[in-house]
Each structure stands twice: as C-alpha cells, then as structure tokens.
Amino acid sequence: MDLKLQDKTALVTGSTAGIGLEIARTLAVEGAKVFVTGRSQAKLDEALADIRASGGDKVEGVLADAGTADGAAAILKAVPSVDILVNNLGIYEMKAFADIPDEDWLHLFEVNVMSGVRLSRGYFPGMLERDWGRVIFISSESGLAIPGEMVHYGMTKSAQLAVARGMAQQTKGTGVTVNSVLPGPTRAAAIADFLKSVSSNPDASTAEHEAEFFSKHRSSSLLQRMIEPQEIASLVAYVASPLSAATNGASLKAEGGLVTTIA
C-alpha cells in the first residue's frame, strides 16, 4: 500500500532504538524525509546507517535531548517545520508508590509529557496554518490501566492522552489530526531483565518468563505475547499518512482495538 508520504517531512523523538527507530525507519522507507533525534552522536549515527541500509534515503539526525527545554529548543531551531511529529520519547522505572520521591515524579513528567508538549507547541501552529499535519503521541496501555508498580509512569501516559485530545479539539474543519497510539508490552532490549524481575522463577528461560508475565500480570491481553516494534511502527505510519484523514482525536490501542471514537 502506498501511504503517500513521499512529499512529507517527519520528526520522531527518541528514535535511535526500539519503537522510535522502527517508526523512523518505516516512515523513511515509505518515502518521507525523516529527522531522527537522540542524545548520543554514536547512537544517532548507528540509527541513521541502519535506516539507510533499509532503503530510507531521506533521513537526517538531530543531536539533542528532547526531554529538556534546551534540547527541545535546539530541535525546533534545527528543524523549524515538519508535517508529521511523532512524540515517542519516554522513560519508565518500576518502583513502589511510597518509594517514589518528588524528583522521580517530576523527571518522568518532564521527559514523557513536556517533551511532546514543547515540540507540539512549536510545530502545531504551522500545521494549522498550512491546513495539514499529523501529531502522534506514543502513549501506552498503562495510561488507561495504571500499573501498580509504575504509578508515576502511568500518570505520564494518561497526561499524554489529555494533551492529545485537547489539541485535537483545536483542529476542527482542518486537515490536521492529533492522535495517540497505546502499545501494550513491547519487545525491547531491556525486556528480558524486566520479565525476569517479575518472574517467580528468575532461572527460567525468557520464553517462560514471558508466558508467566502474560498469565499473571496481563491476563486481559488479547495477543498474550510481546508486540514487535515493527507492528507498532506500521500502525503509526498509517496514522501519519494522508490515508488516515478521518482518524482524529483517537486513542488507538496497538494491543487490541480503538479506545475512543474516531473524529
């Protein structure tokens, strides 16, 4: 399917690895000019080479920390205008609620929420003026089903949904859309350690850890397996495309269905 992205520019935060890298790769392979952001020049160079090897020729890097005010300002200065903004940057940690200090609450909010707020604030007005644009927040199922072991993380993912919906309200009658994608548990480099940490048998295999995790901790999951990053990237690429013009103000649950209504 041609997603009609050849004349579009996109910026993806937190895109040197994991879900962000796969989103950037998919958009680039589909023909968009993609800006990859990251804090490490070495990782940025590696991600760019990886995407180019996959056939994504129009890709550039921006060395900046999108999770800080200065970093967001640097990104907006380096790339003043984009057609598609994917607010993917996010961090998490497991910690008992009573043990989470103010600093952790504020840090997760700064990185997970304010990174998207600052960049959206910079790019959204131009999209409305040009009458076309896509803003996509990579939230999480944790924004709806708050995990008891990561309450502060869940709070930031709920906040993203509120920001996205509020922005979407301002797009009435335009060619701009604002949506959220809510992945379930996704395969990543650190996932093996996470699964092991919540397993009743740390010495079991990774496959056994995964099966136990879904049996005990995510019994409501329809997939009953980890989502592959590319599966999320495919959904995001569609939402970013002109083909998704009727999808606005929605929260798309990558693990199993639409959460809120379309348009």
Side-chain angles (χ1 to χ4, degrees):
M1 180 182 292
D2 178 9
L3 295 183
K4 305 184 185 303
L5 291 170
Q6 289 80 5
D7 62 341
K8 305 302 183 186
T9 59
L11 186 140
V12 185
T13 62
S15 44
T16 59
I19 295 173
L21 175 59
E22 292 307 319
I23 292 172
R25 185 201 315 279
T26 302
L27 293 175
V29 170
E30 285 289 334
K33 180 176 182 179
V34 179
F35 293 93
V36 174
T37 73
R39 298 178 299 168
S40 162
Q41 187 64 58
K43 289 185 177 180
L44 200 57
D45 291 342
E46 184 178 346
L48 294 175
D50 192 358
I51 294 171
R52 287 169 182 150
S54 300
D57 298 327
K58 297 183 293 184
V59 59
E60 296 182 18
V62 181
L63 182 63
D65 183 358
T68 68
D70 288 344
I75 292 171
L76 289 165
K77 182 178 180 180
V79 187
S81 175
V82 296
D83 300 305
I84 300 161
L85 171 63
V86 182
N87 292 311
N88 170 74
L89 179 63
I91 58 174
Y92 70 92
E93 64 175 354
M94 295 179 61
K95 190 172 289 187
F97 173 76
D99 296 331
I100 305 173
D102 289 1
E103 292 77 9
D104 287 8
W105 284 95
L106 295 171
H107 181 52
L108 262 69
F109 191 85
E110 178 83 2
V111 174
N112 294 0
V113 181
M114 290 308 299
S115 59
V117 167
R118 290 174 178 131
L119 292 177
S120 297
R121 191 168 56 204
Y123 292 126
F124 188 56
M127 294 179 184
L128 292 174
E129 183 177 341
R130 295 188 301 274
D131 198 28
W132 202 94
R134 299 285 185 266
V135 179
I136 303 168
F137 287 82
I138 306 302
S139 182
S140 166
E141 66 167 12
S142 295
L144 299 176
I146 308 296
E149 71 277 8
M150 295 190 294
V151 177
H152 52 339
Y153 171 74
M155 173 274 298
T156 66
K157 293 299 161 178
S158 294
Q160 285 182 311
L161 300 180
V163 173
R165 184 65 194 186
M167 288 177 60
Q169 297 285 72
Q170 301 176 51
T171 67
K172 291 181 180 180
T174 75
V176 180
T177 67
V178 184
N179 294 288
S180 300
V181 172
L182 288 69
T186 304
R187 198 173 307 283
I191 200 65
D193 290 338
F194 169 74
L195 294 175
K196 184 177 181 179
S197 71
V198 297
S199 174
S200 62
N201 180 13
D203 296 325
S205 68
T206 299
E208 290 171 324
H209 289 161
E210 182 173 335
E212 181 185 353
F213 172 78
F214 281 97
S215 174
K216 291 186 175 181
H217 302 284
R218 293 295 187 276
S219 60
S220 62
S221 167
L222 301 180
L223 294 180
Q224 286 296 296
R225 64 167 175 83
M226 292 289 168
I227 302 173
E228 300 298 333
Q230 180 55 53
E231 294 173 318
I232 297 168
S234 296
L235 174 59
V236 173
Y238 168 74
V239 175
S241 78
L243 303 185
S244 69
T247 305
N248 193 17
S251 298
L252 298 145
K253 194 168 184 292
E255 197 279 338
L258 190 63
V259 178
T260 61
T261 57
I262 294 178

mmCIF file of all heavy atoms in Angstrom, residues 5-50:
data_model
loop_
_atom_site.group_PDB
_atom_site.id
_atom_site.type_symbol
_atom_site.label_atom_id
_atom_site.label_comp_id
_atom_site.label_asym_id
_atom_site.label_seq_id
_atom_site.Cartn_x
_atom_site.Cartn_y
_atom_site.Cartn_z
ATOM 1 N N LEU A 5 3.490 9.306 1.413
ATOM 2 C CA LEU A 5 4.318 10.108 2.310
ATOM 3 C C LEU A 5 5.529 10.724 1.619
ATOM 4 O O LEU A 5 6.367 11.346 2.273
ATOM 5 C CB LEU A 5 4.796 9.242 3.486
ATOM 6 C CG LEU A 5 3.718 8.809 4.478
ATOM 7 C CD1 LEU A 5 4.266 7.767 5.446
ATOM 8 C CD2 LEU A 5 3.182 10.013 5.249
ATOM 9 N N GLN A 6 5.623 10.582 0.314
ATOM 10 C CA GLN A 6 6.823 11.000 -0.404
ATOM 11 C C GLN A 6 7.139 12.485 -0.264
ATOM 12 O O GLN A 6 8.302 12.886 -0.301
ATOM 13 C CB GLN A 6 6.707 10.642 -1.899
ATOM 14 C CG GLN A 6 6.801 9.172 -2.211
ATOM 15 C CD GLN A 6 5.489 8.431 -1.966
ATOM 16 O OE1 GLN A 6 4.464 9.048 -1.638
ATOM 17 N NE2 GLN A 6 5.505 7.117 -2.109
ATOM 18 N N ASP A 7 6.141 13.326 -0.102
ATOM 19 C CA ASP A 7 6.391 14.768 -0.014
ATOM 20 C C ASP A 7 6.277 15.288 1.417
ATOM 21 O O ASP A 7 6.175 16.506 1.635
ATOM 22 C CB ASP A 7 5.418 15.535 -0.912
ATOM 23 C CG ASP A 7 3.964 15.338 -0.482
ATOM 24 O OD1 ASP A 7 3.686 14.368 0.243
ATOM 25 O OD2 ASP A 7 3.106 16.168 -0.869
ATOM 26 N N LYS A 8 6.315 14.385 2.397
ATOM 27 C CA LYS A 8 6.138 14.788 3.791
ATOM 28 C C LYS A 8 7.469 14.768 4.557
ATOM 29 O O LYS A 8 8.371 13.987 4.254
ATOM 30 C CB LYS A 8 5.146 13.857 4.492
ATOM 31 C CG LYS A 8 3.796 13.746 3.803
ATOM 32 C CD LYS A 8 3.096 15.080 3.661
ATOM 33 C CE LYS A 8 1.711 14.913 3.025
ATOM 34 N NZ LYS A 8 1.074 16.226 2.749
ATOM 35 N N THR A 9 7.554 15.624 5.568
ATOM 36 C CA THR A 9 8.687 15.612 6.485
ATOM 37 C C THR A 9 8.191 15.180 7.856
ATOM 38 O O THR A 9 7.093 15.559 8.283
ATOM 39 C CB THR A 9 9.340 17.004 6.602
ATOM 40 O OG1 THR A 9 8.365 17.946 7.070
ATOM 41 C CG2 THR A 9 9.889 17.446 5.262
ATOM 42 N N ALA A 10 9.011 14.387 8.545
ATOM 43 C CA ALA A 10 8.610 13.853 9.848
ATOM 44 C C ALA A 10 9.757 13.966 10.840
ATOM 45 O O ALA A 10 10.930 13.868 10.463
ATOM 46 C CB ALA A 10 8.191 12.387 9.708
ATOM 47 N N LEU A 11 9.401 14.165 12.088
ATOM 48 C CA LEU A 11 10.383 14.149 13.167
ATOM 49 C C LEU A 11 9.900 13.168 14.225
ATOM 50 O O LEU A 11 8.749 13.235 14.650
ATOM 51 C CB LEU A 11 10.576 15.538 13.767
ATOM 52 C CG LEU A 11 11.689 15.659 14.809
ATOM 53 C CD1 LEU A 11 12.453 16.972 14.635
ATOM 54 C CD2 LEU A 11 11.146 15.562 16.239
ATOM 55 N N VAL A 12 10.799 12.262 14.627
ATOM 56 C CA VAL A 12 10.466 11.240 15.615
ATOM 57 C C VAL A 12 11.421 11.372 16.785
ATOM 58 O O VAL A 12 12.645 11.271 16.610
ATOM 59 C CB VAL A 12 10.578 9.818 15.021
ATOM 60 C CG1 VAL A 12 10.096 8.783 16.038
ATOM 61 C CG2 VAL A 12 9.791 9.707 13.718
ATOM 62 N N THR A 13 10.901 11.606 17.978
ATOM 63 C CA THR A 13 11.777 11.731 19.141
ATOM 64 C C THR A 13 12.096 10.354 19.712
ATOM 65 O O THR A 13 11.350 9.393 19.519
ATOM 66 C CB THR A 13 11.135 12.603 20.233
ATOM 67 O OG1 THR A 13 9.911 11.989 20.682
ATOM 68 C CG2 THR A 13 10.844 13.995 19.706
ATOM 69 N N GLY A 14 13.222 10.273 20.405
ATOM 70 C CA GLY A 14 13.639 9.001 20.997
ATOM 71 C C GLY A 14 13.750 7.914 19.951
ATOM 72 O O GLY A 14 13.270 6.798 20.162
ATOM 73 N N SER A 15 14.391 8.236 18.828
ATOM 74 C CA SER A 15 14.312 7.351 17.664
ATOM 75 C C SER A 15 15.618 6.664 17.289
ATOM 76 O O SER A 15 15.802 6.261 16.155
ATOM 77 C CB SER A 15 13.778 8.132 16.462
ATOM 78 O OG SER A 15 14.393 9.401 16.350
ATOM 79 N N THR A 16 16.539 6.518 18.249
ATOM 80 C CA THR A 16 17.779 5.801 17.941
ATOM 81 C C THR A 16 17.685 4.320 18.276
ATOM 82 O O THR A 16 18.611 3.560 18.004
ATOM 83 C CB THR A 16 18.974 6.411 18.695
ATOM 84 O OG1 THR A 16 18.731 6.358 20.114
ATOM 85 C CG2 THR A 16 19.211 7.857 18.274
ATOM 86 N N ALA A 17 16.575 3.897 18.862
ATOM 87 C CA ALA A 17 16.417 2.479 19.216
ATOM 88 C C ALA A 17 14.941 2.183 19.444
ATOM 89 O O ALA A 17 14.108 3.090 19.527
ATOM 90 C CB ALA A 17 17.214 2.136 20.479
ATOM 91 N N GLY A 18 14.614 0.898 19.526
ATOM 92 C CA GLY A 18 13.282 0.468 19.913
ATOM 93 C C GLY A 18 12.166 0.915 18.988
ATOM 94 O O GLY A 18 12.324 0.970 17.766
ATOM 95 N N ILE A 19 11.026 1.245 19.582
ATOM 96 C CA ILE A 19 9.849 1.651 18.818
ATOM 97 C C ILE A 19 10.151 2.872 17.960
ATOM 98 O O ILE A 19 9.768 2.944 16.787
ATOM 99 C CB ILE A 19 8.670 1.949 19.765
ATOM 100 C CG1 ILE A 19 8.228 0.680 20.490
ATOM 101 C CG2 ILE A 19 7.501 2.548 18.992
ATOM 102 C CD1 ILE A 19 7.191 0.930 21.571
ATOM 103 N N GLY A 20 10.839 3.846 18.517
ATOM 104 C CA GLY A 20 11.135 5.066 17.778
ATOM 105 C C GLY A 20 11.949 4.816 16.532
ATOM 106 O O GLY A 20 11.687 5.414 15.473
ATOM 107 N N LEU A 21 12.952 3.955 16.631
ATOM 108 C CA LEU A 21 13.775 3.620 15.469
ATOM 109 C C LEU A 21 12.934 2.963 14.386
ATOM 110 O O LEU A 21 13.059 3.295 13.192
ATOM 111 C CB LEU A 21 14.918 2.704 15.883
ATOM 112 C CG LEU A 21 15.796 2.157 14.750
ATOM 113 C CD1 LEU A 21 16.441 3.286 13.957
ATOM 114 C CD2 LEU A 21 16.865 1.210 15.305
ATOM 115 N N GLU A 22 12.045 2.047 14.774
ATOM 116 C CA GLU A 22 11.217 1.355 13.784
ATOM 117 C C GLU A 22 10.214 2.306 13.136
ATOM 118 O O GLU A 22 9.918 2.192 11.944
ATOM 119 C CB GLU A 22 10.500 0.176 14.421
ATOM 120 C CG GLU A 22 11.431 -0.950 14.835
ATOM 121 C CD GLU A 22 12.330 -1.423 13.703
ATOM 122 O OE1 GLU A 22 11.849 -1.534 12.554
ATOM 123 O OE2 GLU A 22 13.527 -1.665 13.950
ATOM 124 N N ILE A 23 9.704 3.263 13.903
ATOM 125 C CA ILE A 23 8.800 4.261 13.321
ATOM 126 C C ILE A 23 9.554 5.106 12.303
ATOM 127 O O ILE A 23 9.079 5.338 11.186
ATOM 128 C CB ILE A 23 8.186 5.145 14.417
ATOM 129 C CG1 ILE A 23 7.235 4.329 15.304
ATOM 130 C CG2 ILE A 23 7.450 6.346 13.796
ATOM 131 C CD1 ILE A 23 6.745 5.083 16.531
ATOM 132 N N ALA A 24 10.743 5.583 12.694
ATOM 133 C CA ALA A 24 11.541 6.397 11.778
ATOM 134 C C ALA A 24 11.888 5.610 10.522
ATOM 135 O O ALA A 24 11.814 6.140 9.403
ATOM 136 C CB ALA A 24 12.811 6.863 12.486
ATOM 137 N N ARG A 25 12.255 4.357 10.691
ATOM 138 C CA ARG A 25 12.607 3.516 9.543
ATOM 139 C C ARG A 25 11.414 3.353 8.594
ATOM 140 O O ARG A 25 11.540 3.498 7.372
ATOM 141 C CB ARG A 25 13.075 2.142 10.024
ATOM 142 C CG ARG A 25 13.589 1.226 8.897
ATOM 143 C CD ARG A 25 13.559 -0.251 9.293
ATOM 144 N NE ARG A 25 14.084 -0.498 10.619
ATOM 145 C CZ ARG A 25 15.388 -0.582 10.911
ATOM 146 N NH1 ARG A 25 16.278 -0.445 9.955
ATOM 147 N NH2 ARG A 25 15.776 -0.827 12.149
ATOM 148 N N THR A 26 10.253 3.043 9.155
ATOM 149 C CA THR A 26 9.070 2.804 8.330
ATOM 150 C C THR A 26 8.667 4.054 7.564
ATOM 151 O O THR A 26 8.351 3.994 6.365
ATOM 152 C CB THR A 26 7.901 2.319 9.208
ATOM 153 O OG1 THR A 26 8.305 1.124 9.899
ATOM 154 C CG2 THR A 26 6.679 2.013 8.370
ATOM 155 N N LEU A 27 8.674 5.201 8.236
ATOM 156 C CA LEU A 27 8.332 6.455 7.558
ATOM 157 C C LEU A 27 9.332 6.764 6.445
ATOM 158 O O LEU A 27 8.948 7.205 5.347
ATOM 159 C CB LEU A 27 8.292 7.599 8.562
ATOM 160 C CG LEU A 27 7.174 7.552 9.615
ATOM 161 C CD1 LEU A 27 7.355 8.688 10.612
ATOM 162 C CD2 LEU A 27 5.801 7.629 8.968
ATOM 163 N N ALA A 28 10.621 6.523 6.709
ATOM 164 C CA ALA A 28 11.653 6.803 5.711
ATOM 165 C C ALA A 28 11.538 5.866 4.514
ATOM 166 O O ALA A 28 11.662 6.299 3.363
ATOM 167 C CB ALA A 28 13.037 6.685 6.348
ATOM 168 N N VAL A 29 11.300 4.599 4.767
ATOM 169 C CA VAL A 29 11.154 3.635 3.677
ATOM 170 C C VAL A 29 9.931 3.967 2.828
ATOM 171 O O VAL A 29 9.907 3.735 1.615
ATOM 172 C CB VAL A 29 11.078 2.195 4.232
ATOM 173 C CG1 VAL A 29 10.686 1.202 3.146
ATOM 174 C CG2 VAL A 29 12.415 1.791 4.837
ATOM 175 N N GLU A 30 8.900 4.535 3.466
ATOM 176 C CA GLU A 30 7.694 4.935 2.740
ATOM 177 C C GLU A 30 7.901 6.215 1.927
ATOM 178 O O GLU A 30 7.008 6.639 1.207
ATOM 179 C CB GLU A 30 6.526 5.121 3.705
ATOM 180 C CG GLU A 30 5.938 3.822 4.216
ATOM 181 C CD GLU A 30 5.173 3.056 3.138
ATOM 182 O OE1 GLU A 30 4.673 3.699 2.192
ATOM 183 O OE2 GLU A 30 5.094 1.822 3.239
ATOM 184 N N GLY A 31 9.078 6.841 2.087
ATOM 185 C CA GLY A 31 9.401 7.987 1.252
ATOM 186 C C GLY A 31 9.442 9.327 1.941
ATOM 187 O O GLY A 31 9.783 10.343 1.321
ATOM 188 N N ALA A 32 9.090 9.390 3.227
ATOM 189 C CA ALA A 32 9.130 10.660 3.946
ATOM 190 C C ALA A 32 10.573 11.056 4.246
ATOM 191 O O ALA A 32 11.453 10.212 4.349
ATOM 192 C CB ALA A 32 8.343 10.555 5.247
ATOM 193 N N LYS A 33 10.808 12.358 4.374
ATOM 194 C CA LYS A 33 12.087 12.834 4.887
ATOM 195 C C LYS A 33 11.979 12.814 6.406
ATOM 196 O O LYS A 33 11.086 13.462 6.977
ATOM 197 C CB LYS A 33 12.392 14.242 4.398
ATOM 198 C CG LYS A 33 13.724 14.769 4.927
ATOM 199 C CD LYS A 33 14.072 16.135 4.351
ATOM 200 C CE LYS A 33 15.426 16.594 4.871
ATOM 201 N NZ LYS A 33 15.813 17.920 4.303
ATOM 202 N N VAL A 34 12.842 12.084 7.063
ATOM 203 C CA VAL A 34 12.695 11.835 8.499
ATOM 204 C C VAL A 34 13.881 12.401 9.274
ATOM 205 O O VAL A 34 15.041 12.178 8.913
ATOM 206 C CB VAL A 34 12.564 10.325 8.779
ATOM 207 C CG1 VAL A 34 12.428 10.079 10.277
ATOM 208 C CG2 VAL A 34 11.364 9.745 8.040
ATOM 209 N N PHE A 35 13.567 13.098 10.357
ATOM 210 C CA PHE A 35 14.578 13.590 11.280
ATOM 211 C C PHE A 35 14.559 12.698 12.525
ATOM 212 O O PHE A 35 13.529 12.568 13.187
ATOM 213 C CB PHE A 35 14.310 15.042 11.651
ATOM 214 C CG PHE A 35 14.482 15.996 10.505
ATOM 215 C CD1 PHE A 35 13.389 16.354 9.716
ATOM 216 C CD2 PHE A 35 15.727 16.516 10.194
ATOM 217 C CE1 PHE A 35 13.546 17.218 8.650
ATOM 218 C CE2 PHE A 35 15.892 17.383 9.128
ATOM 219 C CZ PHE A 35 14.800 17.733 8.351
ATOM 220 N N VAL A 36 15.705 12.108 12.806
ATOM 221 C CA VAL A 36 15.875 11.235 13.962
ATOM 222 C C VAL A 36 16.542 12.041 15.064
ATOM 223 O O VAL A 36 17.519 12.755 14.807
ATOM 224 C CB VAL A 36 16.752 10.022 13.590
ATOM 225 C CG1 VAL A 36 17.076 9.180 14.815
ATOM 226 C CG2 VAL A 36 16.066 9.178 12.520
ATOM 227 N N THR A 37 16.040 11.953 16.289
ATOM 228 C CA THR A 37 16.654 12.693 17.390
ATOM 229 C C THR A 37 17.263 11.726 18.400
ATOM 230 O O THR A 37 16.764 10.618 18.602
ATOM 231 C CB THR A 37 15.636 13.594 18.117
ATOM 232 O OG1 THR A 37 14.753 12.786 18.905
ATOM 233 C CG2 THR A 37 14.833 14.418 17.122
ATOM 234 N N GLY A 38 18.348 12.177 19.034
ATOM 235 C CA GLY A 38 18.998 11.353 20.046
ATOM 236 C C GLY A 38 20.031 12.152 20.810
ATOM 237 O O GLY A 38 20.474 13.221 20.360
ATOM 238 N N ARG A 39 20.429 11.637 21.969
ATOM 239 C CA ARG A 39 21.384 12.343 22.829
ATOM 240 C C ARG A 39 22.821 11.952 22.572
ATOM 241 O O ARG A 39 23.743 12.639 23.012
ATOM 242 C CB ARG A 39 21.049 12.065 24.300
ATOM 243 C CG ARG A 39 19.684 12.559 24.740
ATOM 244 C CD ARG A 39 19.419 12.190 26.185
ATOM 245 N NE ARG A 39 19.433 10.747 26.365
ATOM 246 C CZ ARG A 39 19.456 10.134 27.545
ATOM 247 N NH1 ARG A 39 19.522 10.863 28.657
ATOM 248 N NH2 ARG A 39 19.428 8.828 27.622
ATOM 249 N N SER A 40 23.045 10.825 21.893
ATOM 250 C CA SER A 40 24.384 10.306 21.652
ATOM 251 C C SER A 40 24.696 10.330 20.161
ATOM 252 O O SER A 40 23.938 9.776 19.370
ATOM 253 C CB SER A 40 24.493 8.866 22.180
ATOM 254 O OG SER A 40 25.600 8.189 21.623
ATOM 255 N N GLN A 41 25.804 10.967 19.788
ATOM 256 C CA GLN A 41 26.168 11.025 18.373
ATOM 257 C C GLN A 41 26.436 9.631 17.826
ATOM 258 O O GLN A 41 26.067 9.325 16.684
ATOM 259 C CB GLN A 41 27.410 11.900 18.187
ATOM 260 C CG GLN A 41 27.761 12.146 16.731
ATOM 261 C CD GLN A 41 26.691 12.935 15.987
ATOM 262 O OE1 GLN A 41 26.349 14.053 16.384
ATOM 263 N NE2 GLN A 41 26.155 12.369 14.912
ATOM 264 N N ALA A 42 27.061 8.781 18.636
ATOM 265 C CA ALA A 42 27.364 7.425 18.180
ATOM 266 C C ALA A 42 26.079 6.649 17.880
ATOM 267 O O ALA A 42 25.959 5.986 16.836
ATOM 268 C CB ALA A 42 28.199 6.694 19.231
ATOM 269 N N LYS A 43 25.110 6.720 18.789
ATOM 270 C CA LYS A 43 23.845 6.014 18.576
ATOM 271 C C LYS A 43 23.052 6.639 17.425
ATOM 272 O O LYS A 43 22.370 5.937 16.678
ATOM 273 C CB LYS A 43 23.016 6.028 19.862
ATOM 274 C CG LYS A 43 23.577 5.146 20.962
ATOM 275 C CD LYS A 43 22.659 5.114 22.164
ATOM 276 C CE LYS A 43 23.189 4.173 23.235
ATOM 277 N NZ LYS A 43 22.308 4.129 24.431
ATOM 278 N N LEU A 44 23.162 7.943 17.290
ATOM 279 C CA LEU A 44 22.480 8.631 16.201
ATOM 280 C C LEU A 44 23.041 8.169 14.857
ATOM 281 O O LEU A 44 22.283 7.836 13.931
ATOM 282 C CB LEU A 44 22.651 10.137 16.368
ATOM 283 C CG LEU A 44 21.688 11.078 15.649
ATOM 284 C CD1 LEU A 44 20.248 10.788 16.025
ATOM 285 C CD2 LEU A 44 22.037 12.528 15.979
ATOM 286 N N ASP A 45 24.354 8.116 14.761
ATOM 287 C CA ASP A 45 24.999 7.670 13.523
ATOM 288 C C ASP A 45 24.630 6.219 13.204
ATOM 289 O O ASP A 45 24.389 5.867 12.044
ATOM 290 C CB ASP A 45 26.519 7.801 13.636
ATOM 291 C CG ASP A 45 26.982 9.250 13.668
ATOM 292 O OD1 ASP A 45 26.201 10.135 13.263
ATOM 293 O OD2 ASP A 45 28.119 9.496 14.111
ATOM 294 N N GLU A 46 24.591 5.389 14.226
ATOM 295 C CA GLU A 46 24.234 3.988 14.036
ATOM 296 C C GLU A 46 22.800 3.849 13.536
ATOM 297 O O GLU A 46 22.506 3.053 12.634
ATOM 298 C CB GLU A 46 24.408 3.225 15.351
ATOM 299 C CG GLU A 46 24.148 1.738 15.253
ATOM 300 C CD GLU A 46 24.365 1.014 16.560
ATOM 301 O OE1 GLU A 46 24.973 1.604 17.485
ATOM 302 O OE2 GLU A 46 23.941 -0.154 16.675
ATOM 303 N N ALA A 47 21.889 4.636 14.120
ATOM 304 C CA ALA A 47 20.481 4.580 13.704
ATOM 305 C C ALA A 47 20.326 5.052 12.259
ATOM 306 O O ALA A 47 19.585 4.442 11.472
ATOM 307 C CB ALA A 47 19.629 5.437 14.634
ATOM 308 N N LEU A 48 21.009 6.121 11.894
ATOM 309 C CA LEU A 48 20.921 6.638 10.529
ATOM 310 C C LEU A 48 21.435 5.612 9.524
ATOM 311 O O LEU A 48 20.819 5.394 8.466
ATOM 312 C CB LEU A 48 21.709 7.940 10.410
ATOM 313 C CG LEU A 48 21.176 9.129 11.211
ATOM 314 C CD1 LEU A 48 22.122 10.321 11.097
ATOM 315 C CD2 LEU A 48 19.784 9.521 10.748
ATOM 316 N N ALA A 49 22.552 4.962 9.859
ATOM 317 C CA ALA A 49 23.105 3.942 8.965
ATOM 318 C C ALA A 49 22.147 2.766 8.833
ATOM 319 O O ALA A 49 21.978 2.198 7.739
ATOM 320 C CB ALA A 49 24.461 3.473 9.500
ATOM 321 N N ASP A 50 21.518 2.406 9.942
ATOM 322 C CA ASP A 50 20.557 1.296 9.955
ATOM 323 C C ASP A 50 19.368 1.598 9.050
ATOM 324 O O ASP A 50 18.928 0.760 8.246
ATOM 325 C CB ASP A 50 20.103 1.065 11.401
ATOM 326 C CG ASP A 50 19.331 -0.234 11.581
ATOM 327 O OD1 ASP A 50 19.111 -0.936 10.582
ATOM 328 O OD2 ASP A 50 18.944 -0.536 12.722
#
